[in-house]
Amino acid sequence: MWLGIALAISALLALPIPSQAQIIWDGDAIPSSLSGQPGDPIKGRTIVTSRQTGLCILCHAGPFPEERFQGNLAPDLKLSVANLSTAQLRARLVDPSKTNTNTIMPAYFRIDHLQRVAPPFAGKTVLSAQEIEDVIAYLLTIKTPKHFLNSSHAN
């Protein structure tokens, strides 16, 4: 049993993780999966609502009735993702400053040109490549076009 677990862990550690130089941008989007694997929306929701991992709800509110004290520094997540493609969502998570130089949103998959990084975290991304894909998979489940959201407020 332990051998099986050790082999599984070593296989995960052997997965290629793209560096910033290997990520191919297409305008404001990153078309290719960072991990090469599909995301898991259940894991993605856990990351988004975690106050230790993704930290998304510190700034964003979302469809999380069980979560108290959701953020109001950034748009509601449904509005944030409404008109973004999968590739655009990936780019916003990897490095939001590429599309908005004034953003306060952190780069979740960047390790260079950062400021005030504590030594234990230097050279490490906030989220792994697979966690980015998991978050994207979840965000796609709450995606509602803006025109629908705007028309629903008119009533």
Side-chain angles (χ1 to χ4, degrees), residues 107-152:
Y108 283 93
F109 200 75
R110 193 177 98 195
I111 59 171
D112 58 346
H113 305 293
L114 301 174
Q115 300 174 15
R116 297 185 305 234
V117 177
F121 302 105
K124 297 177 183 174
T125 59
V126 176
L127 296 177
S128 71
Q130 188 57 51
E131 288 172 326
I132 295 284
E133 298 304 321
D134 293 342
V135 169
I136 293 166
Y138 170 68
L139 293 175
L140 292 172
T141 70
I142 65 169
K143 188 174 171 172
T144 305
K146 278 186 183 175
H147 64 84
F148 175 79
L149 290 171
N150 290 338
S151 66
S152 68

Side-chain angles (χ1 to χ4, degrees), residues 40-50 63-66 134 138:
D40 179 336
I42 295 169
K43 289 180 182 176
R45 186 182 194 281
T46 300
I47 293 165
V48 168
T49 58
S50 169
F64 319 112
E66 74 283 6
D134 293 342
Y138 170 68

Side-chain angles (χ1 to χ4, degrees), residues 34-118:
L34 299 177
S35 68
Q37 302 295 317
D40 179 336
I42 295 169
K43 289 180 182 176
R45 186 182 194 281
T46 300
I47 293 165
V48 168
T49 58
S50 169
R51 295 178 194 275
Q52 286 78 39
T53 310
L55 307 168
C56 304
I57 63 172
L58 293 181
C59 294
H60 295 276
F64 319 112
E66 74 283 6
E67 293 293 336
R68 296 181 54 196
F69 310 114
Q70 295 181 36
N72 61 6
L73 294 173
D76 184 288
L77 280 175
K78 281 188 175 187
L79 292 173
S80 294
V81 304
N83 289 328
L84 297 176
S85 69
T86 301
Q88 289 171 318
L89 287 170
R90 186 175 294 111
R92 296 324 186 269
L93 291 170
V94 166
D95 186 359
S97 70
K98 293 258 191 183
T99 56
N100 178 359
T101 56
N102 294 321
T103 188
I104 62 170
M105 184 171 160
Y108 283 93
F109 200 75
R110 193 177 98 195
I111 59 171
D112 58 346
H113 305 293
L114 301 174
Q115 300 174 15
R116 297 185 305 234
V117 177

